[in-house]
Structures are given as C-alpha cells and as structure tokens.
Amino acid sequence: MFKLQCKLKQQTPMLHFQPDETGACLRGTEVKPKLDKFIRKCFQIQDNIIPDQWYLETKKESREGKSVFALNYQIRFETSGTPEINDGSKERPINKSFFGNQGVKDPSMWKKTVLYHESINMTILCFIPDLLEYIKNHIEDFFVIYNFGTRQTKGFGAFVLSEINGEQIDYKKKDYLSIAKKYFSYGLYHEYKNIDEAKKYALEDIRIIYGLMKSGFNLSDQKKEDYFKGYIFRYFYQKYPDYMNDKKFIKTHLKFKNCNTEKIEKIEKEKDNREGIYCRAVLGLAQKYEYKNLYEGTVEVVGESQKTENGSMVVERFPSPILWTLAGKYLLALPAEEALSLILNQKFCFQISDNNKATIKTPEEFNFKDFLYEFQKDFNDKELHKGGEKGLKDAENVMLMRAGSLELKNF
C-alpha cells in the first residue's frame, strides 16, 4: 500500500457536530466524498476518463445508474495540541453569521466551533500508484475551494496545506488566487496585508459583505441613520423595474398586526399591480421572515408540492450560490452556479395563515457574474447612498465602519 502524508493549517473555526470529542475536526466521511467529486471534476475538465481500476467498483456495469462513485483509497486525520473551542457564550462567542444557537436555552445543546492552532496530519492510503499521484498533484487545490462542517459557504471550516510528503508549503505567502482561477472563470476577492490579519477579520468581513449584498443593515437609532438596503433589491429594481421584489411583495400582499392600533392590516396600503419576484432567494433561501417593532407577524415560506409526514407544507432549504472562503491571505467569493440553477423558476407561497397568503416565483434566469461584478462596484463606492441617506464612508456603526475600509476586486 502506498501513502501520501500531508499537514494542514486550519484557517477558520469549524462548526462541528461533536466538538467535545478528542481529536474532533475533519472527518474522512465528509472529506472523501468531496475529494472523489473533485477528482472526477478535474478529469472532466481535461476530457479524460477515470480508469476503471481507480473505482471501488471496478466494473463499469456495476456503476451504471449510480450518481456517486467512490474511488479506491482511504483518508485519515490526526490532530495535535488542544483546540480552541467556542460555545457561543458571551465569553467565547461564535461569529454572528452562525445563528443556529438562537432560541436554544440549554447551553449543553449549543453548537460549538473547533479551531486547531497546531498542524493537522492527513494520511491517504492507496494501492494504486497513479491514483495516489493524481491526488498528490491536486490535493492543495482541493482544500482551496472546499470548506467543511456547518455553515461552510460562509467561511467556516477553511483549511490549507502546509506540507506534502515532507515538502514545506509557504501558505502565508502562497498565491491562492491563481489556484481559484483554475477552477472558476469569475469571482471576487479581498487581499489582506498578511495571514494574521486575514484570520482575525475574515469571518466578520464575510458577514458584513454578504449582509450588504443580501439583506442589508438597518442600525439606525435616534442619534444616527445607518440604513443600507440589501444590494440584491437595488440590483433587481435596476434590472427588472416591472417587477416588485419579495420584500415589497410581502408588505403589499400580506396583513400583519399593527402593534399601535391592534388592527390587522397591510404594511403598505397603496396598490401595486406589478408581478412579484422572489429575488432574495437567489442568494440562498430562508424558511421564514419575521416582522418586529411596529408590525408583528412571521411569514413562512412554503414550497409547492412539498409536504411533511403530517401533511403540513415545508420548503426545501436551498444553498447559497456563493462559497465564501479564506485561503492564505485571500478572502474569496466563488460562484456555485449548480446551486443557483436549483432555485431559478421555482414557485413559493408566503403565508401567515391559510387565509393570509400569496404566491411568488423566483426569476427564470439570473446573470450571476453580472450581479457579482455590479455588487463589487457598488460596495467599493463608499460615498454612494445605498437606499438610505449616506454612504459607507459616513457610517457611524463600528461594524459598517469596518466595511468602509474593505475593497473587493474581481477576476
């Protein structure tokens, strides 16, 4: 049996389902299927056919009708040192882009992050020399474009290689952008001054940038007006003026309880005959929206022809079509167009009750490259008003002040 030995450096905390177990980190059962898929993808790019002997099921006819083919190697991980574990408490917080612990009162039920500061050993065992050699030539690229664990599309669980078979990799200065360009024809990135700055700020910067892209921020109070509308709404307004976005659709089609008057009424009472378009869903689908302050109510998103065992309607969660990751000193936003294709031209129902609901569809098509590059221009213009009364350069909230210092580039 032949062996490939590598060392990994963990870039960002990993949300793990068993954080308190000794050595809890990467698992072969999660990594190997992704690596198998990546190897097959690399072969497709090169218009080559994977040899039958590389598969666990070496006979082609036994693989017919199956969508997942396991390759014939084993992968193991071994940690060293004591990990940094954050449980979401005030003393050991988890980045706010993870909200899975909200509403969970029992601390023992909280999900936790695991971060190893020492290197993680990875061993790949294989009886097929040319398969192992192919893995060796592509394993560094693999860890650049895949994250692991919960909330991996938001930057959690990012790793890079620091050593392959005893050969050191200067991951602190490595040009990981060039690696990303090999597999993605477009994307966005921010380059930090060094890897220490990257590890310190990356997860929070992802939260800020993605927040400005999708939902926006309303951090206004009596003293300041920090309101920045999500770019997805402003983009659709420019590109599709004959449609109303889902936020406007909810306000004009559903009724909520007015906390001041106790009346059940629409938030916006003027008529709007435009067709609604569920634009926010193209960046990942939320299962419900809540209105607070003046209006009270929770809007559930219901999928067509999707039912639970008890007959109630549910909606499938669609992944975000952007992979945010950290590779060395590069914060990368990489497109996942396969995920985007799943959400396009789908019909949904927004409902508060059986007699208080309305149907809306996602767009039939969406130019994701155009969207990302237009967002880049919008984000980098720190003086431009983004739905409110000021640009990012004049933001008074500390978080948004941070956004004012960041610059996105495209490739």
Side-chain angles (χ1 to χ4, degrees), residues 5 51 57 161 237 259-260 270 315 318 321-322 335:
Q5 292 185 307
E57 294 183 86
L161 261 70
Y237 180 77
C259 298
N260 286 343
E270 69 271 15
V315 62
F318 287 88
I322 308 175

Coordinates of all heavy atoms in Angstrom, one line a residue, residues 5 51 57 161 237 259-260 270 315 318 321-322 335:
Q5 N 1.3 11.7 2.8 CA 1.2 12.3 4.1 C 1.3 13.8 3.9 O 2.2 14.4 3.3 CB 2.3 11.8 5.0 CG 2.1 10.4 5.4 CD 3.1 9.9 6.5 OE1 4.4 10.1 6.3 NE2 2.7 9.4 7.6
P51 N -9.8 5.8 -15.0 CA -9.6 4.3 -15.2 C -10.5 3.5 -14.3 O -10.7 3.9 -13.2 CB -8.1 4.1 -14.9 CG -7.5 5.4 -15.1 CD -8.5 6.4 -14.7
E57 N -15.8 0.1 -7.1 CA -16.5 -0.9 -8.0 C -15.8 -0.8 -9.4 O -16.1 0.1 -10.2 CB -18.0 -0.5 -8.1 CG -18.7 -0.6 -6.8 CD -20.2 -0.3 -7.0 OE1 -21.0 -1.2 -7.4 OE2 -20.6 0.9 -6.7
L161 N -3.1 23.5 2.9 CA -2.0 22.6 3.1 C -0.7 23.4 3.4 O -0.4 24.4 2.9 CB -1.7 21.8 1.8 CG -2.3 20.4 1.9 CD1 -3.8 20.4 1.8 CD2 -1.7 19.5 0.7
Y237 N -34.2 46.1 -8.9 CA -35.0 47.3 -9.2 C -34.4 47.9 -10.5 O -35.2 48.4 -11.3 CB -35.0 48.3 -8.1 CG -35.7 49.5 -8.3 CD1 -37.1 49.6 -8.3 CD2 -35.1 50.7 -8.7 CE1 -37.9 50.7 -8.5 CE2 -35.8 51.9 -9.0 CZ -37.2 51.9 -8.9 OH -37.9 53.0 -9.2
C259 N -49.0 46.9 16.0 CA -48.9 46.9 17.4 C -49.4 48.2 18.1 O -49.7 48.2 19.3 CB -47.4 46.7 17.8 SG -46.8 45.1 17.3
N260 N -49.6 49.3 17.3 CA -50.1 50.5 17.9 C -51.6 50.6 17.9 O -52.2 51.0 18.8 CB -49.6 51.7 17.1 CG -48.1 52.0 17.4 OD1 -47.6 51.5 18.4 ND2 -47.4 52.7 16.5
E270 N -50.9 51.2 -0.5 CA -51.2 51.7 -1.9 C -51.1 50.5 -2.9 O -50.5 49.5 -2.6 CB -50.1 52.7 -2.3 CG -48.7 52.1 -2.5 CD -47.9 52.2 -1.2 OE1 -48.5 52.4 -0.1 OE2 -46.7 52.0 -1.2
V315 N -40.6 23.9 3.1 CA -39.8 24.4 1.9 C -38.4 23.8 2.1 O -37.8 23.8 3.2 CB -39.8 25.9 1.9 CG1 -39.1 26.5 3.1 CG2 -39.1 26.4 0.6
F318 N -32.4 25.9 0.1 CA -31.5 26.0 -1.0 C -30.2 26.6 -0.5 O -30.2 27.6 0.2 CB -32.2 26.8 -2.1 CG -33.3 26.1 -2.8 CD1 -34.6 26.2 -2.4 CD2 -33.0 25.3 -4.0 CE1 -35.6 25.5 -3.1 CE2 -34.0 24.7 -4.6 CZ -35.3 24.8 -4.2
P321 N -25.5 30.4 -3.5 CA -24.6 30.1 -4.7 C -23.3 30.7 -4.6 O -22.6 30.9 -5.6 CB -25.5 30.7 -5.8 CG -26.2 31.8 -5.2 CD -26.5 31.4 -3.8
I322 N -22.9 31.2 -3.4 CA -21.5 31.8 -3.3 C -20.8 31.0 -2.1 O -21.4 30.8 -1.1 CB -21.6 33.2 -2.8 CG1 -22.5 34.1 -3.8 CG2 -20.2 33.8 -2.8 CD1 -22.7 35.5 -3.3
P335 N -18.3 31.5 -7.2 CA -19.7 31.2 -7.6 C -19.9 29.7 -7.6 O -19.1 28.9 -8.0 CB -19.7 31.7 -9.0 CG -18.3 31.7 -9.5 CD -17.5 31.9 -8.3

